[in-house]
Amino acid sequence: MSTSPSSSGAERTDGSSVQIGALVPLTRPGWVEAGRHLLAGLELAVREVNDAGGVVGRPLELVVRDTAADPQRAAAAVDELARLGVAALAGEYHSVVARAAAARADALGLPFLCSSAVLDALTEQPTEWVARLCPAQSHGWQIYADFLLSAGHSRIAVAAQPSVYWASGTRILRDYLAPRGGTVIELDMSALTPTAVCDELVDNRATALLLLTGHPEPAVPIVKSVRRDQRLAEIMIGAPAGQPEFAEWAALLGDDGSAIPFLRYLPERLRPLGARVGTALRERLGEAPSFVAFEGYDTVAVLADVLRSHGADRARIAESWPHVAVEGTRGQIRFSRTPGISVWQWAWTSVQIVDRDPAEPDRFRVLHAS
C-alpha cells in the first residue's frame, strides 16, 4: 500500500518527492485501530508539511506498508523500502514487529524513527540508526506499578500470552514490585481459559488482574468472565498496554470495559500546537484521537525538520538524532542516550494512567499523571 503524494497534500509533478517509508499495522492480527490512528497522524503531518512548501521545495511522500503485526513481513518491507530509495523509516505500533524492523534498518544503514513501540531492547546492540518517540516500557510500566501499590494492590496476577513484549512487561513489574512488598502471579494464557483464569485469581487471592494479552482475543473474553464472577466483584482489572484506549474496546465490552486503568502518553493539557492537531485528527478520524495519532504526527514533524536541515542523505539523517530540537504536539522533542536503552530516545513524554468512566464510558478519567 502506498499513500500517493496527492492524498498526502502534495502535487507531485516531476518525481522529485522525498519518500518516507511508513510501517503500520492495518490488517489482523495487527491492532488495526491503533494502526489507523498512527497512519492518520503520519498523513496529517505530511499534508501540513506539503501545504507549507514541502522540504527544501520538494514534496514529502509516505510509502506505506502494512505489517499486520508480523515481524518477518516488517523486515521484508524494510528491505523493499530501502531498495525503493526512501530517506528514512517511520511508524510501527507493535514492539516485536518494530524490533524486527529496527534490526533490518540498522543492518542496512536506514534511519528509523519509531513512533509507538515501547520495548526497551528495540535492538540487540546500541545503534546510531534508530531513534524513538514513545517512552520505553520500563519507564511507563514502573509508573503503572507505583500506581498499583498506591491503590493498595500487592498481590497482582498477570494474564500473559507468550511473547517477548509480554514477558518483558512481566519482568519489569516483578522486578519493581518485589522489593516493595508486591507479588506477581503469572497466569499462562496459552494454557488457561477465561473461566480458569477466574479460578486462579480466587485461589491466589489476587486483588488485581493485568491483561498482558492481545485485543480483542483473549482480552475481551477474560474481562467478561471476570466481570460476571461474583467471587471477583472487588478485583481491579488493569491493562498497562492500553487496550481500552480505542473505541472498539468500548463497543465490544460496553460498561464492562470501564474502570480498567491503562497507560496513555499525553500531557494533562495540550499546548496550542497539540490542541490544533487534535482537532484536525478528530476530523480526520471521525472520533477522538488516541495518543498514537499524536505520535504519528510528531514522527513526521521530526523527520521533516531533519530533512530540511540535513537533507535526504541517510547517514546525515542518522547523525542528526542528537541535534534534534522540535516542538511536538506533546512538548519539546530531543533525543539522548538513556541507560538501558539501545536507541536514541526521547526521555520522556508525559505519562498518564487513565480509565473509562463507569458513568460515561466514552469519557476518560485521569487517575495519575507523571
Side-chain angles (χ1 to χ4, degrees):
M1 175 183 176
S2 175
T3 299
S4 69
S6 58
S7 68
S8 293
E11 296 303 324
R12 183 175 178 179
T13 57
D14 59 0
S16 65
S17 64
V18 179
Q19 294 183 326
I20 294 174
L23 303 174
V24 188
L26 296 173
T27 54
R28 300 285 188 194
W31 200 333
V32 174
E33 201 167 4
R36 188 170 68 88
H37 279 236
L38 178 58
L39 184 58
L42 293 165
E43 289 181 334
L44 174 64
V46 167
R47 179 175 293 278
E48 291 188 359
V49 167
N50 288 333
D51 286 347
V55 289
V56 199
R58 298 169 66 188
L60 204 56
E61 179 185 1
L62 282 184
V63 184
V64 181
R65 292 295 179 267
D66 172 21
T67 62
D70 184 336
Q72 292 183 331
R73 182 166 171 171
V78 174
D79 287 342
E80 179 198 3
L81 291 165
R83 289 194 302 271
L84 290 174
V86 301
L89 294 175
E92 194 46 49
Y93 178 81
H94 296 284
S95 282
V96 176
V97 178
R99 189 177 65 155
R104 286 305 297 153
D106 182 44
L108 295 170
L110 180 58
F112 175 26
L113 180 49
C114 182
S115 304
S116 195
V118 300
L119 193 68
D120 282 40
L122 205 55
T123 55
E124 292 296 327
Q125 302 294 331
T127 176
E128 301 296 322
W129 293 99
V130 184
R132 174 166 55 189
L133 281 176
C134 58
Q137 187 180 21
S138 58
H139 178 71
W141 286 45
Q142 286 177 12
I143 292 171
Y144 196 94
D146 265 335
F147 166 76
L148 291 172
L149 291 172
S150 67
H153 297 291
S154 60
R155 293 189 62 78
I156 297 151
V158 296
Q161 288 181 291
S163 108
V164 171
Y165 175 63
W166 300 124
S168 171
T170 300
R171 184 173 60 254
I172 290 164
L173 292 168
R174 181 176 286 118
D175 290 351
Y176 191 82
L177 290 167
R180 295 163 176 82
T183 300
V184 173
I185 304 142
E186 190 167 357
L187 307 180
D188 181 0
M189 291 314 302
S190 65
L192 295 173
T193 65
T195 301
V197 167
C198 295
D199 294 335
E200 291 286 337
L201 294 172
V202 173
D203 292 345
N204 285 284
R205 306 187 315 282
T207 65
L209 168 66
L210 304 187
L211 302 170
L212 274 55
T213 64
H215 166 72
E217 298 288 338
V220 168
I222 294 170
V223 172
K224 288 181 176 179
S225 290
V226 172
R227 292 295 201 212
R228 282 155 179 70
D229 194 318
Q230 293 301 313
R231 300 172 298 171
L232 301 171
E234 300 301 317
I235 200 165
M236 188 205 89
I237 305 176
Q243 294 93 327
E245 168 83 12
F246 298 98
E248 184 185 26
W249 176 269
L252 291 172
L253 282 166
D255 291 345
D256 285 346
S258 63
I260 298 179
F262 63 93
L263 287 165
R264 182 171 73 169
Y265 307 127
L266 288 175
E268 188 172 359
R269 183 174 290 102
L270 287 169
R271 301 182 184 195
L273 172 63
R276 179 187 65 74
V277 169
T279 298
L281 286 169
R282 180 183 286 271
E283 292 174 358
R284 194 177 192 95
L285 289 162
E287 62 188 20
S290 69
F291 70 85
V292 179
F294 288 97
E295 288 174 332
Y297 183 96
D298 286 343
T299 302
V300 170
V302 168
L303 288 175
D305 184 79
V306 168
L307 289 165
R308 290 188 193 102
S309 57
H310 292 79
D313 178 78
R314 292 172 178 175
R316 293 193 67 198
I317 291 171
E319 290 167 2
S320 75
W321 299 135
H323 308 295
V324 164
V326 173
E327 186 64 28
T329 59
R330 297 159 300 145
Q332 183 85 358
I333 298 170
R334 295 179 182 271
F335 298 114
S336 61
R337 285 299 190 186
T338 304
I341 309 300
S342 60
V343 302
W344 287 99
Q345 176 70 53
W346 180 21
W348 306 97
T349 185
S350 300
V351 176
Q352 297 177 341
I353 298 172
V354 303
D355 69 0
R356 289 182 175 271
D357 188 342
E360 192 180 342
D362 287 337
R363 190 179 78 86
F364 293 111
R365 304 182 297 184
V366 178
L367 308 176
H368 176 80
S370 175

